[in-house]
Amino acid sequence: MAEQRRVYASGDRVGATVRSGTRRRSAERLSVDRIVAVAIDQMRTHGYDAVTMRSIARELGTGPASLYAHVANRAELDQLVVGRVCALWEIPDPDPERWDAQLRECLISLLGILRAHPGVARCTMGMIPVERGMLAVVERLIGLLKAGEVPDQYIAWFVDVSSLFVGSVAAEEDIWRERMADIGEAPSEEETVVEVREVFSELPVAEFPLLSGMAEAMTTGTGDERFEFGVDVLISGLKALSAAR
Amino acid sequence: MAEQRRVYASGDRVGATVRSGTRRRSAERLSVDRIVAVAIDQMRTHGYDAVTMRSIARELGTGPASLYAHVANRAELDQLVVGRVCALWEIPDPDPERWDAQLRECLISLLGILRAHPGVARCTMGMIPVERGMLAVVERLIGLLKAGEVPDQYIAWFVDVSSLFVGSVAAEEDIWRERMADIGEAPSEEETVVEVREVFSELPVAEFPLLSGMAEAMTTGTGDERFEFGVDVLISGLKALSAAR
DNA sequence: TTGCATAACGAACAGTGTTCGTGTTAGAAC
DNA sequence: GTTCTAACACGAACACTGTTCGTTATGCAA
């Protein structure tokens, strides 16, 4: 039994030696950080729908009930996940000569972050940023918009609109990715495009004179091109409204 | 037993008299239409999360397994729901003098339709419109954008962008509405605004010089105002990009 | 009438988030 | 060191979800 004395790391409880037969089985103490990190990793690897309290607990070597000592429920865990990921969003120091190009890069960068963390965008819907890390990011985004002399009220509303847009694009991509994974043998993006193009070009001309002639345009453009068009629309619109005010 | 002969309505099976003890218990034959109608009604009344195959079946006087003779799965039912609701979206005949104002009205109208059918926006994410009723609506929207001399490629992409934006706004509202309903005693929109404003104005000025001074702007504006700002940004942006091309 | 395809259904499955009761542990106080 | 207590950790179980499977009933064509 002497070999089974408890061993403490400095200031931490990691490494505690577990006596057989006892209730506490985890070799390492649970924490919100560990739970969130595993959730993010599993969302990336398996998609949002595959991540459950059970899958997280399994990887942490415990049962799902143990997670509730650290997170109130699944919804709170989702919000913690978003906070962790969105805190990675970096906003550069504003350059008044090119604030709009900087803004474009930022929105593209946010989509990149969400793409690097598949599934997380699914958690962003309905979230009000009140966590300090995210507020710090919002603060910097506001600085960028002020460099473009955007009126305060428009800044406030544009922060909402643009982040919602990026989040929803990412969420849709997530949904598509998971849907494709479910099918097992996923058609390539190109195959899908060809297929949808056929649907459109085979529509009856009498009933769909415009759409049938626009099969090419409707199916042209990578996801990036479509997204960047949307960002350009948002930024051009903001500039036009600001100038008109 | 003579009173229990089967009675057929004209060309329909409705009204079949059920012999007691038999397996078929429903007084009325199931159909996709009936299932979708009940789903839409329940989403409106109880929110998306409260609608299950069981709740639908219960209202139809049967069991959940019976629904699978008509819809492949829950996902397909969701898509049918969207198709039914979005087919209500009416696009006016285009007036080249005011196509942009018409477009604005259309996007606002779409949000109105989704608001009138709470929960449905939750089903719109990731949906490609291929159903005839929805394609007819897209055809008319394309006509409106052509009246504004928007280039084809921009039309194609704008249809995506704008419907995604409206859908995500509606989805967020749905999520908020359900979250409030879960709390039971929901704070009013005004109370929520006051609360969030306090959070922002009490931020440390040294750390959040911009945000702390923008509490008023960040919390100003009804949901409608915020949404309409977003629509104005999209339309102004589209016009600016089209003109520059 | 018969035969067959499809609708309808109950039972059960596999899975989800969560609660409850209980045992264990960490850390403060003495 | 011991004692006490709050919080962590856990297993069992709950209530619920979407769905499948096997069986029976029904509609419709021949």
Side-chain angles (χ1 to χ4, degrees):
Chain A
M1 293 294 267
E3 295 85 8
Q4 294 192 334
R5 282 177 312 170
R6 292 177 181 171
V7 179
Y8 293 96
S10 66
D12 221 339
R13 293 335 187 252
V14 177
T17 304
V18 182
R19 286 176 298 173
S20 48
T22 61
R23 189 70 177 267
R24 178 76 58 85
R25 298 242 186 82
S26 297
E28 189 174 351
R29 191 178 177 87
L30 288 184
S31 68
V32 177
D33 278 353
R34 293 185 65 216
I35 294 169
V36 172
V38 168
I40 291 173
D41 186 59
Q42 290 191 356
M43 285 184 188
R44 170 189 293 125
T45 308
H46 306 293
Y48 180 81
D49 286 337
V51 179
T52 65
M53 304 305 268
R54 283 174 172 78
S55 67
I56 295 165
R58 198 176 302 125
E59 178 160 343
L60 291 168
T62 185
S66 308
L67 305 186
Y68 293 90
H70 300 269
V71 298
N73 49 49
R74 178 61 196 269
E76 181 177 299
L77 175 57
D78 281 354
Q79 303 302 60
L80 290 167
V81 163
V82 173
R84 175 75 64 85
V85 168
C86 289
L88 301 176
W89 195 19
E90 291 182 353
I91 313 290
D93 292 334
D95 174 354
E97 300 301 317
R98 54 182 297 275
W99 69 275
D100 48 351
Q102 284 179 309
L103 176 60
R104 188 175 191 276
E105 282 157 24
C106 284
L107 295 178
I108 290 172
S109 163
L110 177 59
L111 182 66
I113 288 167
L114 292 175
R115 279 177 174 165
H117 299 85
V120 172
R122 299 280 290 281
C123 314
T124 61
M125 306 293 291
M127 181 167 170
I128 295 188
V130 290
E131 186 264 323
R132 276 302 167 86
M134 290 193 62
L135 288 179
V137 172
V138 173
E139 174 80 11
R140 294 191 65 83
L141 184 58
I142 290 173
L144 185 53
L145 292 164
K146 276 191 181 281
E149 299 183 344
V150 177
D152 278 7
Q153 192 56 77
Y154 285 179
I155 290 177
W157 289 345
F158 190 79
V159 168
D160 273 359
V161 168
S162 56
S163 53
L164 175 65
F165 176 68
V166 178
S168 58
V169 168
E172 277 217 329
E173 290 186 359
D174 285 347
I175 291 171
W176 274 103
R177 191 179 303 116
E178 287 195 35
R179 203 170 280 170
M180 290 301 114
D182 280 354
I183 294 179
E185 196 164 288
S188 70
E189 191 176 323
E190 201 170 298
E191 288 167 337
T192 306
V193 166
V194 169
E195 209 174 298
V196 176
R197 189 172 293 160
E198 268 177 36
V199 169
F200 283 138
S201 36
E202 284 168 13
L203 292 171
V205 179
E207 204 177 334
F208 299 100
L210 303 176
L211 202 43
S212 59
M214 282 186 65
E216 186 80 27
M218 294 301 287
T219 48
T220 290
T222 62
D224 280 353
E225 282 168 323
R226 289 167 177 273
F227 171 69
E228 284 168 28
F229 168 77
V231 170
D232 290 336
V233 167
L234 288 178
I235 294 172
S236 297
L238 180 66
K239 286 160 71 178
L241 290 187
S242 300
R245 187 161 164 165
Chain B
M1 289 296 263
E3 293 85 7
Q4 294 193 332
R5 284 177 309 172
R6 292 178 182 171
V7 179
Y8 293 97
S10 67
D12 222 338
R13 291 339 186 250
V14 178
T17 303
V18 181
R19 287 175 296 175
S20 51
T22 62
R23 187 73 175 267
R24 180 75 57 86
R25 299 243 187 80
S26 298
E28 188 175 351
R29 192 177 176 89
L30 287 184
S31 67
V32 176
D33 278 353
R34 293 185 65 216
I35 294 168
V36 172
V38 168
I40 290 172
D41 186 60
Q42 289 192 356
M43 285 184 189
R44 171 189 292 123
T45 308
H46 306 294
Y48 180 82
D49 285 339
V51 180
T52 64
M53 304 306 269
R54 282 175 172 77
S55 67
I56 295 166
R58 198 175 303 125
E59 178 160 345
L60 291 168
T62 184
S66 308
L67 306 186
Y68 294 90
H70 300 268
V71 298
N73 48 48
R74 177 61 196 269
E76 181 177 301
L77 175 57
D78 281 354
Q79 303 300 60
L80 290 167
V81 163
V82 173
R84 174 74 65 84
V85 169
C86 290
L88 301 176
W89 194 20
E90 291 183 352
I91 313 290
D93 292 333
D95 174 356
E97 298 302 316
R98 53 182 298 274
W99 68 275
D100 48 349
Q102 285 180 310
L103 177 59
R104 188 176 192 274
E105 282 157 21
C106 284
L107 295 179
I108 290 172
S109 163
L110 178 58
L111 183 66
I113 287 168
L114 292 175
R115 279 177 175 165
H117 298 85
V120 172
R122 300 280 290 281
C123 314
T124 62
M125 305 293 290
M127 179 166 173
I128 296 188
V130 289
E131 185 266 323
R132 275 301 168 87
M134 289 194 61
L135 288 178
V137 172
V138 172
E139 174 82 11
R140 293 190 66 81
L141 184 58
I142 289 172
L144 185 54
L145 290 164
K146 276 191 181 283
E149 300 185 345
V150 178
D152 278 6
Q153 193 55 79
Y154 284 0
I155 290 177
W157 289 344
F158 190 80
V159 167
D160 273 0
V161 168
S162 56
S163 54
L164 176 62
F165 176 68
V166 177
S168 57
V169 169
E172 276 217 329
E173 290 186 359
D174 286 346
I175 290 170
W176 273 105
R177 191 179 304 116
E178 288 195 33
R179 202 171 280 170
M180 291 298 116
D182 281 354
I183 292 179
E185 194 164 289
S188 70
E189 190 176 325
E190 199 171 299
E191 288 167 335
T192 306
V193 167
V194 170
E195 208 173 297
V196 176
R197 187 173 296 159
E198 266 177 35
V199 169
F200 284 140
S201 37
E202 283 168 11
L203 292 171
V205 180
E207 206 178 330
F208 299 100
L210 304 177
L211 202 42
S212 57
M214 282 185 66
E216 186 80 27
M218 296 299 289
T219 48
T220 289
T222 63
D224 281 351
E225 282 169 323
R226 287 167 177 273
F227 170 69
E228 285 169 27
F229 168 76
V231 170
D232 290 336
V233 167
L234 288 178
I235 294 172
S236 298
L238 179 66
K239 286 161 69 179
L241 290 188
S242 300
R245 188 161 164 165

